[in-house]
Amino acid sequence: MPGPVFCHSERLTYRLVDEGDYEFVRSNWNNPHVWRRMPINEALSRDGITEWVEADETMHLLVCSDDDPETPLGLVYLFDIAPRSGHAELGYWLVPEAQGQGYATEAVDRCLQFAFGDQRLHKVIARIFAANGPSRRVVERFDFREEGRLREYHYTDGEYRDLLIYGLLSSEWDSA
């Protein structure tokens, strides 16, 4: 069962990740349908998930449907949070069955509300493979700007892939 409720959005409930959720996060993070779309280099072990979730500069929220708030659909998270510098990096993924239903867009919107509204961060970035059109469309809906392209930067499945860096300033974010 997911941890305590952190917040809500129109159709989703966001719960804090607790120890009982580690296997869900680890098994889905290590699912090829998920990790092949993310710029990660290795599988996440049980010890690795504990270290990652409990890191001070991160905020991880399980994304759950309001129809079934006990069953996680994915994860939305801010990491490398630097309050003094005012920036963080955004990450998100959904289990394959939950993709294509607008959940990622809704979860990113709520995460940005937290980042810019509650935490008063100045900037949020996202790193996305150039070939990951669905994830690019999510951040582009919020007016993230492509700030750079790291050509053939990440090696996955026997090929080098371009990695795009997107950024959004608090002054560019529309909270309405």
Side-chain angles (χ1 to χ4, degrees), residues 8-68:
H8 296 274
S9 60
E10 185 179 335
R11 302 176 298 155
L12 301 172
T13 297
Y14 305 90
R15 296 181 169 274
L16 298 172
V17 177
D18 68 16
E19 193 171 337
D21 304 312
Y22 290 2
E23 183 55 30
F24 168 81
V25 173
R26 190 190 65 73
S27 66
N28 283 286
W29 181 280
N30 294 337
N31 178 334
H33 192 76
V34 173
W35 69 258
R36 284 192 173 116
R37 290 170 171 76
M38 298 188 319
I40 57 175
N41 291 317
E42 58 191 38
L44 196 57
S45 68
R46 178 76 177 175
D47 291 339
I49 188 84
T50 302
E51 182 179 319
W52 185 63
V53 168
E54 295 176 5
D56 288 338
E57 68 282 351
T58 65
M59 191 241 358
H60 305 88
L61 297 174
L62 289 171
V63 177
C64 304
S65 167
D66 283 345
D67 294 335
D68 185 5

Side-chain angles (χ1 to χ4, degrees), residues 101-163:
Q101 299 178 52
Y103 292 142
T105 300
E106 188 173 333
V108 166
D109 184 38
R110 187 62 188 96
C111 196
L112 291 173
Q113 289 175 31
F114 176 77
F116 292 131
D118 299 330
Q119 296 298 299
R120 304 175 87 55
L121 295 178
H122 177 68
K123 183 174 188 171
V124 174
I125 68 163
R127 292 179 294 154
I128 301 170
F129 284 136
N132 188 347
S135 194
R136 291 177 62 190
R137 284 189 292 279
V138 168
V139 297
E140 289 169 356
R141 281 190 183 105
F142 296 100
D143 295 326
F144 273 76
R145 295 183 187 175
E146 185 180 322
E147 296 184 342
R149 176 183 290 259
L150 301 173
R151 296 178 311 128
E152 297 185 8
Y153 182 78
H154 192 84
Y155 189 77
T156 300
D157 288 340
E159 67 181 355
Y160 286 97
R161 298 181 184 196
D162 289 3
L163 186 66

